[in-house]
Amino acid sequence: MTMRASAFLGLGLIAVLVGCGPTIGREVSKGDAEDSDSVRSQVRQEIAFHQDRVKNDPKGALGWVMLSESYLKLARLTDDDEAAVEGEKAALESLKIREVNNARAAMRVTEARLHQHRFADAEDSVRMAVRLSGGEIQTIRLLGDVLLELGKYEEFGREVLDDPGLNAIPEGKAVSARWYELKGDFHGGIALLEEAAVQIRQGRGTDVPEMSWYLSQAGWMALRGGDFEQAEAAFGRALKLNSDDRKAMAGQARLAFVRREFGSVLAWANKANAIAPLTDVLGWKLMALKELGNEEAAELVYEEILRLNHLTPGEPKNAGHPHDHADGDHNHEHSSGHSHDHDHELDSGRHTHHRLLARLLADLGRELKFAHLAAEEDLKWRKDIYAYDTFAWATYRYWLLDSEAKVEGNVLLKEAQAAMSMALRTGTKDAEILSHAKEISAARPR
Protein backbone atom coordinates (compact mmCIF):
# COMPACT_ATOMS: atom_id res chain seq x y z
CA MET A 1 0.00 0.00 0.00
CA THR A 2 1.31 3.47 -0.83
CA MET A 3 1.81 6.18 1.76
CA ARG A 4 -0.98 8.18 0.17
CA ALA A 5 -3.47 5.32 0.29
CA SER A 6 -2.46 4.47 3.82
CA ALA A 7 -3.12 8.01 4.94
CA PHE A 8 -6.60 7.90 3.48
CA LEU A 9 -7.38 4.70 5.34
CA GLY A 10 -6.71 6.23 8.75
CA LEU A 11 -8.28 8.93 10.85
CA GLY A 12 -11.74 8.82 12.30
CA LEU A 13 -12.36 5.09 12.76
CA ILE A 14 -13.42 4.53 9.17
CA ALA A 15 -11.37 3.17 6.32
CA VAL A 16 -13.27 2.78 3.06
CA LEU A 17 -12.13 4.59 -0.08
CA VAL A 18 -14.79 5.35 -2.65
CA GLY A 19 -15.05 7.44 -5.77
CA CYS A 20 -16.46 10.93 -5.95
CA GLY A 21 -19.99 11.32 -4.71
CA PRO A 22 -22.59 14.05 -4.83
CA THR A 23 -21.97 17.39 -3.17
CA ILE A 24 -22.77 17.13 0.51
CA GLY A 25 -25.93 18.53 2.04
CA ARG A 26 -25.99 21.70 3.92
CA GLU A 27 -23.96 24.85 3.22
CA VAL A 28 -22.12 26.71 5.95
CA SER A 29 -23.92 29.94 6.75
CA LYS A 30 -23.33 33.08 8.76
CA GLY A 31 -26.68 32.51 10.46
CA ASP A 32 -25.46 29.25 11.94
CA ALA A 33 -22.48 31.00 13.53
CA GLU A 34 -24.77 33.65 15.01
CA ASP A 35 -27.07 30.94 16.43
CA SER A 36 -24.04 29.20 17.97
CA ASP A 37 -22.85 32.41 19.60
CA SER A 38 -26.33 33.02 20.98
CA VAL A 39 -26.54 29.58 22.59
CA ARG A 40 -23.11 29.92 24.18
CA SER A 41 -24.04 33.35 25.49
CA GLN A 42 -27.19 31.94 27.09
CA VAL A 43 -25.23 29.15 28.77
CA ARG A 44 -22.69 31.63 30.17
CA GLN A 45 -25.55 33.68 31.57
CA GLU A 46 -26.90 30.52 33.19
CA ILE A 47 -23.48 29.84 34.73
CA ALA A 48 -23.36 33.38 36.13
CA PHE A 49 -26.84 32.93 37.63
CA HIS A 50 -25.87 29.73 39.43
CA GLN A 51 -22.55 31.22 40.55
CA ASP A 52 -24.50 33.95 42.30
CA ARG A 53 -26.83 31.33 43.75
CA VAL A 54 -24.06 29.28 45.40
CA LYS A 55 -22.37 32.47 46.59
CA ASN A 56 -25.56 33.38 48.42
CA ASP A 57 -26.22 29.81 49.59
CA PRO A 58 -22.87 28.00 49.75
CA LYS A 59 -24.33 25.08 51.74
CA GLY A 60 -27.01 24.26 49.20
CA ALA A 61 -26.08 20.95 47.56
CA LEU A 62 -28.64 21.38 44.79
CA GLY A 63 -27.28 24.78 43.79
CA TRP A 64 -23.79 23.34 43.29
CA VAL A 65 -25.19 20.52 41.13
CA MET A 66 -27.06 22.98 38.95
CA LEU A 67 -23.89 25.07 38.57
CA SER A 68 -22.06 21.91 37.55
CA GLU A 69 -24.68 21.13 34.95
CA SER A 70 -24.38 24.59 33.45
CA TYR A 71 -20.61 24.25 33.16
CA LEU A 72 -21.04 20.86 31.51
CA LYS A 73 -23.39 22.38 28.94
CA LEU A 74 -20.64 24.81 28.00
CA ALA A 75 -18.07 22.01 27.92
CA ARG A 76 -20.20 20.03 25.47
CA LEU A 77 -20.90 23.05 23.27
CA THR A 78 -17.29 24.16 22.93
CA ASP A 79 -15.24 21.08 23.93
CA ASP A 80 -13.86 23.22 26.73
CA ASP A 81 -11.83 21.24 29.25
CA GLU A 82 -11.70 24.18 31.63
CA ALA A 83 -15.50 24.26 31.78
CA ALA A 84 -15.50 20.51 32.48
CA VAL A 85 -12.98 21.03 35.29
CA GLU A 86 -15.19 23.70 36.84
CA GLY A 87 -18.20 21.42 36.43
CA GLU A 88 -16.39 18.66 38.28
CA LYS A 89 -15.36 21.01 41.09
CA ALA A 90 -18.94 22.19 41.56
CA ALA A 91 -20.33 18.65 41.63
CA LEU A 92 -17.65 17.56 44.13
CA GLU A 93 -18.59 20.52 46.31
CA SER A 94 -22.19 19.28 46.26
CA LEU A 95 -21.04 15.84 47.37
CA LYS A 96 -19.01 17.35 50.21
CA ILE A 97 -22.20 18.95 51.48
CA ARG A 98 -24.34 15.85 51.08
CA GLU A 99 -23.87 12.36 49.64
CA VAL A 100 -27.20 10.86 50.70
CA ASN A 101 -29.75 11.11 47.87
CA ASN A 102 -27.18 12.93 45.76
CA ALA A 103 -26.40 10.47 43.00
CA ARG A 104 -27.08 13.36 40.61
CA ALA A 105 -23.87 15.06 41.74
CA ALA A 106 -21.84 11.85 41.37
CA MET A 107 -23.18 11.53 37.81
CA ARG A 108 -22.09 15.07 37.00
CA VAL A 109 -18.60 14.31 38.37
CA THR A 110 -18.50 11.28 36.08
CA GLU A 111 -19.60 13.24 33.03
CA ALA A 112 -16.98 15.92 33.72
CA ARG A 113 -14.25 13.29 33.98
CA LEU A 114 -15.41 11.60 30.80
CA HIS A 115 -15.16 14.94 29.03
CA GLN A 116 -11.57 15.27 30.27
CA HIS A 117 -10.83 11.69 29.13
CA ARG A 118 -10.05 10.63 32.71
CA PHE A 119 -11.76 7.29 32.37
CA ALA A 120 -10.34 5.45 35.38
CA ASP A 121 -11.39 8.32 37.64
CA ALA A 122 -14.80 8.27 35.95
CA GLU A 123 -15.25 4.64 36.93
CA ASP A 124 -14.73 5.55 40.61
CA SER A 125 -17.36 8.29 40.53
CA VAL A 126 -19.91 6.38 38.48
CA ARG A 127 -19.74 3.45 40.89
CA MET A 128 -20.46 5.94 43.66
CA ALA A 129 -23.46 7.14 41.63
CA VAL A 130 -24.75 3.58 41.27
CA ARG A 131 -24.36 3.01 45.01
CA LEU A 132 -26.00 6.29 46.01
CA SER A 133 -28.94 5.74 43.65
CA GLY A 134 -29.55 2.13 44.59
CA GLY A 135 -28.92 1.03 41.03
CA GLU A 136 -31.17 3.55 39.24
CA ILE A 137 -31.07 2.90 35.50
CA GLN A 138 -29.49 6.22 34.48
CA THR A 139 -26.50 5.44 36.69
CA ILE A 140 -26.31 1.92 35.27
CA ARG A 141 -26.25 3.17 31.69
CA LEU A 142 -23.54 5.72 32.62
CA LEU A 143 -21.54 2.89 34.17
CA GLY A 144 -21.95 1.10 30.85
CA ASP A 145 -20.50 4.05 28.96
CA VAL A 146 -17.47 4.16 31.24
CA LEU A 147 -16.82 0.42 31.07
CA LEU A 148 -16.99 0.48 27.27
CA GLU A 149 -14.55 3.39 27.14
CA LEU A 150 -12.14 1.44 29.34
CA GLY A 151 -12.51 -1.74 27.29
CA LYS A 152 -13.90 -3.63 30.30
CA TYR A 153 -16.22 -5.68 28.16
CA GLU A 154 -16.67 -8.61 30.52
CA GLU A 155 -17.71 -6.27 33.33
CA PHE A 156 -20.10 -4.55 30.95
CA GLY A 157 -21.69 -7.90 30.12
CA ARG A 158 -22.08 -8.83 33.78
CA GLU A 159 -23.15 -5.51 35.27
CA VAL A 160 -24.95 -3.58 32.55
CA LEU A 161 -26.00 -5.51 29.47
CA ASP A 162 -28.82 -7.56 30.99
CA ASP A 163 -30.36 -4.82 33.10
CA PRO A 164 -34.07 -4.92 32.17
CA GLY A 165 -34.34 -1.13 32.19
CA LEU A 166 -31.47 -0.45 29.83
CA ASN A 167 -33.42 -0.37 26.59
CA ALA A 168 -36.39 1.42 28.14
CA ILE A 169 -34.65 4.80 27.98
CA PRO A 170 -32.97 6.58 25.04
CA GLU A 171 -29.63 6.85 26.84
CA GLY A 172 -29.70 3.12 27.53
CA LYS A 173 -30.42 2.36 23.90
CA ALA A 174 -27.34 4.38 22.96
CA VAL A 175 -25.17 2.29 25.29
CA SER A 176 -26.62 -0.93 23.86
CA ALA A 177 -25.98 0.40 20.36
CA ARG A 178 -22.27 0.76 21.17
CA TRP A 179 -22.22 -2.87 22.29
CA TYR A 180 -23.92 -3.98 19.08
CA GLU A 181 -21.28 -2.16 17.05
CA LEU A 182 -18.44 -3.69 19.03
CA LYS A 183 -19.87 -7.11 18.24
CA GLY A 184 -20.06 -6.28 14.53
CA ASP A 185 -23.79 -5.55 14.24
CA PHE A 186 -23.91 -2.07 12.72
CA HIS A 187 -27.50 -2.41 11.57
CA GLY A 188 -28.68 -3.38 15.05
CA GLY A 189 -26.80 -0.48 16.62
CA ILE A 190 -28.12 2.08 14.16
CA ALA A 191 -31.67 0.79 14.64
CA LEU A 192 -31.37 1.31 18.40
CA LEU A 193 -30.14 4.87 17.95
CA GLU A 194 -33.00 5.63 15.57
CA GLU A 195 -35.44 4.16 18.09
CA ALA A 196 -33.95 6.40 20.78
CA ALA A 197 -34.49 9.49 18.64
CA VAL A 198 -38.09 8.51 17.97
CA GLN A 199 -38.63 7.86 21.68
CA ILE A 200 -37.49 11.40 22.47
CA ARG A 201 -39.76 12.87 19.82
CA GLN A 202 -42.76 10.90 21.09
CA GLY A 203 -42.05 11.94 24.66
CA ARG A 204 -41.91 15.62 23.76
CA GLY A 205 -44.58 15.64 21.08
CA THR A 206 -42.33 17.09 18.38
CA ASP A 207 -38.80 17.02 16.98
CA VAL A 208 -36.35 18.48 19.49
CA PRO A 209 -32.66 19.43 19.33
CA GLU A 210 -31.77 16.66 21.80
CA MET A 211 -32.54 14.15 19.06
CA SER A 212 -29.56 15.40 17.06
CA TRP A 213 -27.03 13.64 19.27
CA TYR A 214 -28.58 10.25 18.61
CA LEU A 215 -28.80 10.92 14.89
CA SER A 216 -25.15 12.02 14.81
CA GLN A 217 -24.15 8.83 16.57
CA ALA A 218 -26.16 6.84 14.04
CA GLY A 219 -24.40 8.71 11.24
CA TRP A 220 -20.96 7.90 12.60
CA MET A 221 -21.92 4.28 13.11
CA ALA A 222 -23.08 4.10 9.50
CA LEU A 223 -19.80 5.72 8.39
CA ARG A 224 -17.73 3.16 10.26
CA GLY A 225 -19.81 0.44 8.66
CA GLY A 226 -19.36 1.88 5.16
CA ASP A 227 -22.99 2.94 4.56
CA PHE A 228 -22.37 6.47 3.30
CA GLU A 229 -25.91 7.23 2.15
CA GLN A 230 -27.34 6.37 5.56
CA ALA A 231 -24.59 8.39 7.23
CA GLU A 232 -25.32 11.45 5.09
CA ALA A 233 -29.03 11.23 5.83
CA ALA A 234 -28.45 10.93 9.57
CA PHE A 235 -26.03 13.88 9.68
CA GLY A 236 -28.43 15.99 7.63
CA ARG A 237 -31.31 15.26 10.00
CA ALA A 238 -29.12 16.00 13.02
CA LEU A 239 -28.09 19.38 11.65
CA LYS A 240 -31.65 20.26 10.76
CA LEU A 241 -32.57 19.76 14.42
CA ASN A 242 -29.43 21.40 15.80
CA SER A 243 -27.37 23.53 13.46
CA ASP A 244 -24.63 23.66 16.13
CA ASP A 245 -24.11 19.88 16.27
CA ARG A 246 -20.32 19.70 15.99
CA LYS A 247 -20.25 15.90 15.77
CA ALA A 248 -22.55 16.00 12.76
CA MET A 249 -20.39 18.70 11.14
CA ALA A 250 -17.31 16.56 11.72
CA GLY A 251 -19.17 13.61 10.26
CA GLN A 252 -19.98 15.59 7.14
CA ALA A 253 -16.31 16.54 6.84
CA ARG A 254 -15.28 12.91 7.14
CA LEU A 255 -17.92 11.79 4.67
CA ALA A 256 -16.71 14.39 2.16
CA PHE A 257 -13.17 13.14 2.72
CA VAL A 258 -13.90 9.51 1.88
CA ARG A 259 -15.87 10.71 -1.15
CA ARG A 260 -12.85 12.79 -2.17
CA GLU A 261 -14.88 16.00 -2.20
CA PHE A 262 -12.03 18.04 -0.82
CA GLY A 263 -13.64 21.46 -1.11
CA SER A 264 -16.51 20.22 1.06
CA VAL A 265 -14.00 18.78 3.52
CA LEU A 266 -12.54 22.24 4.02
CA ALA A 267 -15.95 23.89 4.43
CA TRP A 268 -17.23 21.40 7.00
CA ALA A 269 -13.92 21.14 8.85
CA ASN A 270 -13.71 24.92 9.17
CA LYS A 271 -17.24 25.05 10.51
CA ALA A 272 -16.66 22.31 13.08
CA ASN A 273 -13.30 23.70 14.15
CA ALA A 274 -14.79 27.16 14.61
CA ILE A 275 -16.70 25.68 17.54
CA ALA A 276 -13.83 23.58 18.88
CA PRO A 277 -10.69 22.62 16.94
CA LEU A 278 -9.88 18.92 17.20
CA THR A 279 -6.93 16.91 15.97
CA ASP A 280 -8.83 14.48 13.77
CA VAL A 281 -10.93 17.14 12.02
CA LEU A 282 -7.86 19.27 11.44
CA GLY A 283 -6.17 16.15 10.08
CA TRP A 284 -8.82 15.72 7.40
CA LYS A 285 -8.43 19.39 6.52
CA LEU A 286 -4.65 18.95 6.25
CA MET A 287 -4.98 15.94 3.96
CA ALA A 288 -7.63 17.64 1.84
CA LEU A 289 -5.30 20.61 1.33
CA LYS A 290 -2.55 18.22 0.25
CA GLU A 291 -4.88 16.62 -2.27
CA LEU A 292 -5.75 20.07 -3.60
CA GLY A 293 -2.04 20.79 -4.04
CA ASN A 294 -1.81 23.41 -1.31
CA GLU A 295 1.22 22.07 0.58
CA GLU A 296 2.00 25.39 2.26
CA ALA A 297 -1.47 25.69 3.79
CA ALA A 298 -1.35 22.01 4.78
CA GLU A 299 1.88 22.59 6.68
CA LEU A 300 0.31 25.50 8.53
CA VAL A 301 -2.51 23.20 9.61
CA TYR A 302 0.05 20.65 10.76
CA GLU A 303 1.67 23.31 12.93
CA GLU A 304 -1.77 24.20 14.30
CA ILE A 305 -2.31 20.55 15.25
CA LEU A 306 1.00 20.49 17.11
CA ARG A 307 0.13 23.69 18.97
CA LEU A 308 -3.24 22.26 19.88
CA ASN A 309 -1.41 19.32 21.43
CA HIS A 310 1.09 21.65 23.15
CA LEU A 311 3.94 20.65 20.88
CA THR A 312 6.17 22.64 18.55
CA PRO A 313 7.52 21.60 15.14
CA GLY A 314 10.36 19.13 15.63
CA GLU A 315 9.49 18.53 19.28
CA PRO A 316 7.66 15.17 18.94
CA LYS A 317 10.71 13.51 17.42
CA ASN A 318 12.85 14.41 20.42
CA ALA A 319 10.18 14.23 23.08
CA GLY A 320 10.89 10.74 24.36
CA HIS A 321 8.20 8.70 26.05
CA PRO A 322 5.06 10.75 26.73
CA HIS A 323 4.79 9.64 30.34
CA ASP A 324 8.29 10.93 31.06
CA HIS A 325 6.64 14.35 31.49
CA ALA A 326 5.82 14.90 35.12
CA ASP A 327 2.77 17.04 34.50
CA GLY A 328 1.22 14.53 32.13
CA ASP A 329 -0.15 17.36 29.99
CA HIS A 330 2.50 17.30 27.28
CA ASN A 331 0.12 16.01 24.67
CA HIS A 332 -3.17 17.24 26.11
CA GLU A 333 -5.53 19.02 23.78
CA HIS A 334 -7.51 21.95 25.16
CA SER A 335 -9.99 23.81 23.00
CA SER A 336 -9.12 27.00 24.83
CA GLY A 337 -5.52 26.74 23.64
CA HIS A 338 -4.15 27.24 27.15
CA SER A 339 -2.14 24.75 29.15
CA HIS A 340 -3.01 24.37 32.79
CA ASP A 341 -2.54 21.93 35.64
CA HIS A 342 -5.42 20.32 37.52
CA ASP A 343 -4.35 19.49 41.06
CA HIS A 344 -7.33 17.20 41.53
CA GLU A 345 -6.40 14.93 38.63
CA LEU A 346 -4.95 11.52 39.40
CA ASP A 347 -2.03 10.53 37.17
CA SER A 348 -3.16 6.91 37.27
CA GLY A 349 -6.53 7.84 35.83
CA ARG A 350 -5.51 10.28 33.15
CA HIS A 351 -6.00 9.93 29.48
CA THR A 352 -5.16 12.76 27.12
CA HIS A 353 -5.69 12.91 23.38
CA HIS A 354 -2.70 10.70 22.61
CA ARG A 355 -4.92 8.49 20.48
CA LEU A 356 -5.96 11.16 18.00
CA LEU A 357 -2.44 12.49 17.58
CA ALA A 358 -0.87 9.03 17.32
CA ARG A 359 -3.37 8.05 14.64
CA LEU A 360 -2.78 11.20 12.61
CA LEU A 361 1.01 10.97 12.79
CA ALA A 362 0.88 7.31 11.79
CA ASP A 363 -1.33 8.10 8.82
CA LEU A 364 0.92 10.94 7.72
CA GLY A 365 4.10 8.95 8.24
CA ARG A 366 5.55 11.70 10.42
CA GLU A 367 7.17 11.53 13.87
CA LEU A 368 6.48 7.80 13.95
CA LYS A 369 8.46 6.99 17.06
CA PHE A 370 6.43 9.54 18.97
CA ALA A 371 3.21 8.14 17.47
CA HIS A 372 4.19 4.64 18.62
CA LEU A 373 4.98 5.85 22.15
CA ALA A 374 1.89 8.05 22.39
CA ALA A 375 -0.31 5.12 21.37
CA GLU A 376 1.44 3.00 23.99
CA GLU A 377 0.67 5.65 26.60
CA ASP A 378 -3.01 5.65 25.58
CA LEU A 379 -3.12 1.88 25.92
CA LYS A 380 -1.89 2.12 29.52
CA TRP A 381 -5.15 3.72 30.62
CA ARG A 382 -7.70 2.36 28.16
CA LYS A 383 -7.80 -1.13 26.72
CA ASP A 384 -10.74 -0.89 24.35
CA ILE A 385 -10.44 -2.23 20.80
CA TYR A 386 -9.73 1.23 19.38
CA ALA A 387 -6.74 1.71 21.68
CA TYR A 388 -5.33 -1.64 20.53
CA ASP A 389 -5.98 -0.73 16.89
CA THR A 390 -4.24 2.64 17.24
CA PHE A 391 -1.25 1.06 18.96
CA ALA A 392 -1.06 -1.67 16.33
CA TRP A 393 -1.23 0.79 13.44
CA ALA A 394 1.21 3.33 14.88
CA THR A 395 3.69 0.58 15.82
CA TYR A 396 3.42 -1.06 12.41
CA ARG A 397 3.95 2.22 10.60
CA TYR A 398 6.96 2.98 12.81
CA TRP A 399 8.42 -0.46 12.00
CA LEU A 400 7.67 -0.05 8.29
CA LEU A 401 8.80 3.51 7.59
CA ASP A 402 11.21 4.79 10.25
CA SER A 403 14.89 3.92 9.94
CA GLU A 404 15.29 4.33 13.69
CA ALA A 405 12.95 1.39 14.21
CA LYS A 406 15.52 -0.96 12.70
CA VAL A 407 17.28 -0.95 16.07
CA GLU A 408 14.30 -2.68 17.64
CA GLY A 409 13.75 -4.85 14.59
CA ASN A 410 10.88 -7.26 14.06
CA VAL A 411 9.80 -7.17 17.68
CA LEU A 412 7.80 -4.08 16.69
CA LEU A 413 5.95 -6.04 14.03
CA LYS A 414 5.18 -8.77 16.53
CA GLU A 415 3.84 -6.16 18.96
CA ALA A 416 1.64 -4.69 16.23
CA GLN A 417 0.26 -8.09 15.25
CA ALA A 418 -0.44 -9.05 18.87
CA ALA A 419 -2.24 -5.77 19.50
CA MET A 420 -4.29 -6.18 16.35
CA SER A 421 -5.52 -9.56 17.54
CA MET A 422 -6.81 -7.79 20.65
CA ALA A 423 -8.49 -5.13 18.50
CA LEU A 424 -10.39 -7.88 16.67
CA ARG A 425 -11.41 -9.80 19.76
CA THR A 426 -15.01 -8.60 19.94
CA GLY A 427 -15.84 -9.51 16.35
CA THR A 428 -15.90 -5.91 15.17
CA LYS A 429 -16.53 -5.16 11.53
CA ASP A 430 -15.21 -1.60 11.77
CA ALA A 431 -13.89 -0.90 8.28
CA GLU A 432 -10.76 0.90 9.42
CA ILE A 433 -9.75 -1.76 11.93
CA LEU A 434 -10.26 -4.48 9.32
CA SER A 435 -8.14 -2.53 6.81
CA HIS A 436 -5.34 -2.14 9.33
CA ALA A 437 -5.59 -5.80 10.27
CA LYS A 438 -5.31 -6.91 6.65
CA GLU A 439 -2.15 -4.90 6.02
CA ILE A 440 -0.48 -5.79 9.31
CA SER A 441 -1.21 -9.50 9.03
CA ALA A 442 0.26 -9.56 5.53
CA ALA A 443 3.54 -7.99 6.66
CA ARG A 444 6.54 -10.32 6.87
CA PRO A 445 9.63 -9.96 9.10
CA ARG A 446 12.63 -8.45 7.36
Side-chain angles (χ1 to χ4, degrees):
M1 179 180 288
T2 65
M3 283 276 292
R4 178 181 173 207
S6 177
F8 272 98
L9 290 172
L11 289 175
L13 303 180
I14 176 166
V16 178
L17 271 175
V18 296
C20 295
T23 302
I24 293 179
R26 212 172 154 273
E27 293 298 324
V28 176
S29 70
K30 180 180 178 182
D32 291 338
E34 291 171 348
D35 290 344
S36 175
D37 290 341
S38 175
V39 171
R40 286 194 287 269
S41 177
Q42 290 174 11
V43 173
R44 289 190 176 95
Q45 290 174 20
E46 184 179 317
I47 290 171
F49 172 83
H50 289 298
Q51 284 175 328
D52 287 340
R53 176 176 177 172
V54 298
K55 183 177 180 180
N56 293 326
D57 183 16
K59 297 299 182 182
L62 178 60
W64 285 104
V65 170
M66 296 179 75
L67 176 59
S68 172
E69 289 167 350
S70 296
Y71 273 121
L72 291 175
K73 285 182 186 178
L74 183 63
R76 286 189 290 270
L77 280 171
T78 61
D79 198 55
D80 187 343
D81 274 5
E82 291 185 10
V85 169
E86 293 303 317
E88 180 182 2
K89 288 179 180 177
L92 286 170
E93 190 66 31
S94 178
L95 286 169
K96 286 180 185 177
I97 296 167
R98 173 171 55 84
E99 280 194 9
V100 176
N101 297 323
N102 202 9
R104 178 175 171 181
M107 290 180 71
R108 301 298 88 81
V109 171
T110 302
E111 290 163 2
R113 290 172 173 177
L114 284 173
H115 184 93
Q116 298 168 67
H117 287 198
R118 291 168 46 220
F119 299 101
D121 291 347
E123 184 179 2
D124 291 340
S125 55
V126 77
R127 289 194 180 280
M128 174 188 282
V130 172
R131 173 175 59 81
L132 293 177
S133 73
E136 193 272 330
I137 189 57
Q138 288 287 4
T139 64
I140 295 295
R141 65 88 187 167
L142 189 56
L143 173 63
D145 270 326
V146 173
L147 292 175
L148 291 180
E149 291 287 356
L150 289 168
K152 294 187 174 184
Y153 302 136
E154 291 183 1
E155 289 94 326
F156 177 86
R158 290 196 307 268
E159 302 179 45
V160 178
L161 186 60
D162 293 330
D163 191 294
L166 191 63
N167 287 332
I169 58 173
E171 299 90 344
K173 285 185 169 71
V175 173
S176 294
R178 294 182 64 186
W179 180 252
Y180 275 50
E181 181 182 359
L182 284 166
K183 304 297 284 186
D185 185 357
F186 284 99
H187 294 300
I190 292 168
L192 277 173
L193 290 165
E194 294 279 357
E195 287 177 17
V198 170
Q199 188 175 357
I200 291 173
R201 183 184 64 203
Q202 291 174 341
R204 305 285 183 86
T206 184
D207 288 348
V208 291
E210 288 82 352
M211 290 174 58
S212 70
W213 184 88
Y214 295 91
L215 296 173
S216 291
Q217 293 297 105
W220 274 103
M221 199 171 289
L223 257 177
R224 290 188 289 268
D227 189 337
F228 303 133
E229 290 185 4
Q230 187 169 14
E232 181 177 9
F235 293 140
R237 290 167 61 199
L239 288 164
K240 184 176 181 180
L241 289 167
N242 176 15
S243 63
D244 205 30
D245 189 326
R246 179 172 50 84
K247 290 185 181 295
M249 296 174 200
Q252 293 282 41
R254 180 61 192 180
L255 183 58
F257 186 81
V258 297
R259 285 174 162 171
R260 300 182 61 80
E261 298 171 357
F262 299 118
S264 291
V265 173
L266 300 182
W268 283 112
N270 287 338
K271 182 170 173 61
N273 286 321
I275 298 174
L278 292 176
T279 296
D280 50 357
V281 182
L282 285 167
W284 307 328
K285 178 180 178 179
L286 182 159
M287 296 164 77
L289 286 167
K290 281 182 171 291
E291 289 295 321
L292 293 170
N294 197 337
E295 293 286 343
E296 184 176 349
E299 195 62 23
L300 290 175
V301 175
Y302 181 70
E303 292 175 6
E304 181 180 356
I305 291 168
L306 294 184
R307 286 194 299 272
L308 191 64
N309 287 276
H310 299 289
L311 300 168
T312 57
E315 185 178 359
K317 186 174 182 179
N318 302 313
H321 203 295
H323 65 220
D324 288 339
H325 297 273
D327 66 2
D329 273 335
H330 188 65
N331 195 33
H332 199 175
E333 187 173 280
H334 295 286
S335 63
S336 63
H338 299 293
S339 175
H340 52 274
D341 294 324
H342 309 318
D343 293 336
H344 63 283
E345 292 186 355
L346 302 175
D347 286 345
S348 63
R350 302 194 59 162
H351 168 74
T352 64
H353 296 259
H354 290 147
R355 184 179 301 185
L356 294 178
L357 184 61
R359 184 179 296 274
L360 173 59
L361 293 174
D363 289 333
L364 295 175
R366 300 179 69 161
E367 311 293 2
L368 290 169
K369 180 178 181 180
F370 185 88
H372 158 68
L373 294 173
E376 183 179 42
E377 179 74 2
D378 176 48
L379 192 56
K380 282 179 60 180
W381 310 124
R382 279 204 287 177
K383 292 177 168 50
D384 62 327
I385 63 171
Y386 304 107
Y388 278 107
D389 171 59
T390 300
F391 176 75
W393 184 240
T395 301
Y396 165 73
R397 296 278 285 172
Y398 176 47
W399 169 83
L400 180 68
L401 299 172
D402 197 310
S403 59
E404 189 175 348
K406 292 180 180 179
V407 175
E408 296 190 56
N410 291 316
V411 66
L412 290 169
L413 178 59
K414 291 179 181 178
E415 286 181 3
Q417 291 172 336
M420 185 51 68
S421 69
M422 293 297 291
L424 296 171
R425 71 188 188 274
T426 64
T428 180
K429 291 183 174 59
D430 184 291
E432 183 175 42
I433 293 178
L434 295 181
S435 174
H436 290 168
K438 182 178 180 180
E439 182 170 348
I440 292 170
S441 66
R444 294 293 176 262
R446 58 193 177 196

